Amino acid sequence: MKASVSVSLSAQREWQDTPYPGIRYAWLHQSEPGPNTALLQLDQGAFLPRHLHPGWEQIYVISGHIEVNGFDLFANDHIYIGKEQAHEVIAREPSLYQTVSEIRGVTFCDASPSGLND
């Protein structure tokens, strides 16, 4: 098996807007089918609607305060979300978190703007 290394330098990171106000993301690592790692930056009050992933997802809060399905998470907190477990994220203050998804993909449970379902 061939080993590989993937480096994401902050000076070269490309932040992209989502269809949801106040939420931006930057890929740290992408692979097919996964796992995939990204940073999400949320303004205070930003809301990521109820959605699920085809595999597990892990969230590690770097800074700020987010709420995931009623759980308050602060800097250095972690949550594991099982395969196809619906969840939503609310930023209670400006926040930055890292997410790792086992398998690429997201399905929104309610009507959602296009562009995030890939």
Side-chain angles (χ1 to χ4, degrees), residues 13-18 20-26 38-44 46-48 62-63 66 89 91 93-99:
R13 191 158 299 134
E14 295 183 26
W15 288 95
Q16 301 174 54
D17 290 328
T18 70
Y20 302 101
I23 302 177
R24 291 160 299 288
Y25 71 96
L39 292 174
L40 276 83
Q41 190 177 64
L42 295 85
D43 295 339
Q44 184 170 348
F47 176 68
L48 188 56
I62 297 168
S63 64
I66 62 172
V89 179
E93 62 185 51
S95 301
L96 177 67
Y97 71 82
Q98 177 182 10
T99 179

Side-chain angles (χ1 to χ4, degrees), residues 2-96:
K2 184 178 179 182
S4 66
V5 174
S6 174
V7 177
S8 175
L9 302 174
S10 61
Q12 298 171 354
R13 191 158 299 134
E14 295 183 26
W15 288 95
Q16 301 174 54
D17 290 328
T18 70
Y20 302 101
I23 302 177
R24 291 160 299 288
Y25 71 96
W27 287 112
L28 297 179
H29 177 77
Q30 294 184 79
S31 63
E32 286 295 335
N36 294 288
T37 306
L39 292 174
L40 276 83
Q41 190 177 64
L42 295 85
D43 295 339
Q44 184 170 348
F47 176 68
L48 188 56
R50 198 164 176 76
H51 63 283
L52 53 88
H53 303 276
W56 52 256
E57 178 184 18
Q58 297 187 57
I59 293 173
Y60 179 81
V61 181
I62 297 168
S63 64
H65 172 197
I66 62 172
E67 181 182 324
V68 180
N69 285 9
F71 292 99
D72 286 306
L73 303 172
F74 300 88
N76 299 311
D77 288 345
H78 171 268
I79 187 169
Y80 173 92
I81 302 163
K83 173 182 177 179
E84 298 179 349
Q85 177 66 49
H87 57 285
E88 61 188 25
V89 179
I90 304 167
R92 297 299 182 193
E93 62 185 51
S95 301
L96 177 67

